[in-house]
Amino acid sequence: MATFGTEGPKQCSGLEVMRYDSHSLHHEFGTTLRLLDILTVNHQTPSGLNQQFLYCYCRVE
C-alpha cells in the first residue's frame, strides 16, 4: 500500500488528502494484515516540490 507520509502535502490537485505514519495506515486495515516492512520515499515533483510517500508491505493473515 502507498499513501502520503506524515510530511507529505496537505493537498493534491486541489483536494485535501490523508497523511499516515505506518501505524495509522496499518490500523485502517485491521488485524487481518501483518505489517512486514515500511519504506518512506521523498519524491520530487516536476515543479521542484518534495512529496513524502509511505509504502507499507503487508501480508494477509
Side-chain angles (χ1 to χ4, degrees):
M1 293 171 271
T3 187
F4 288 118
T6 56
E7 300 299 317
K10 294 180 181 180
Q11 289 190 336
C12 184
S13 300
L15 301 173
E16 290 190 26
V17 299
M18 293 294 297
R19 300 181 296 171
Y20 294 91
D21 62 21
S22 60
H23 299 292
S24 61
L25 181 60
H26 187 241
H27 178 74
E28 290 289 328
F29 292 93
T31 58
T32 59
L33 294 181
R34 182 168 59 103
L35 185 61
L36 301 176
D37 199 7
I38 303 160
L39 177 65
T40 303
V41 175
N42 288 314
H43 167 73
Q44 187 172 13
T45 67
S47 64
L49 298 174
N50 281 320
Q51 295 181 334
Q52 184 189 65
F53 286 89
L54 172 71
Y55 295 87
C56 289
Y57 299 94
C58 300
R59 176 179 293 147
V60 175
E61 292 287 307

